Amino acid sequence: MARRRERPAGVDSPTASIEGPVRTCVGCRLRADRAGLLRVVVADGVLVVDPRRRLPGRGASVHPDPACVDLADKRRAFARALRLDGRPDVTPVRQYVEQLQTPDGKQVEKP
């Protein structure tokens, strides 16, 4: 019986070129560098964007793109990732992401 040869971790994978911590966007499910994603936590029952990544508790990562936020809401991914009962209000996250967008739809630098 032939043995299967194991590939070394990270070789020929989409994240092989990413350095540092890697997270998965709860919207599009693509893996990305932690710096390229927004961390979202629950504070007092409300979704809050944590740009400094310092708030306590379980966090969910999402691309700073309205399409990813909409997809995460549609898939109920925030509730699942944050282990919430019910569907949280995503309005604060949408407003934050919209503030990051320029009028032509491109993302501006982080504050």
Side-chain angles (χ1 to χ4, degrees), residues 12-78:
D12 295 333
S13 72
T15 58
S17 62
I18 298 175
E19 293 185 22
V22 176
R23 302 286 184 264
T24 301
C25 173
V26 295
C28 65
R29 304 293 299 154
L30 292 177
R31 294 175 57 157
D33 183 16
R34 181 179 75 170
L37 298 169
L38 290 176
R39 182 172 186 257
V40 178
V41 297
V42 176
D44 298 325
V46 178
L47 287 183
V48 178
V49 176
D50 183 15
R52 291 181 26 203
R53 297 178 183 84
R54 297 289 182 260
L55 294 176
R58 178 174 290 276
S61 299
V62 65
H63 283 109
D65 180 9
C68 282
V69 174
D70 291 341
L71 191 57
D73 185 31
K74 180 180 176 184
R75 295 177 57 236
R76 298 183 176 139
F78 286 117

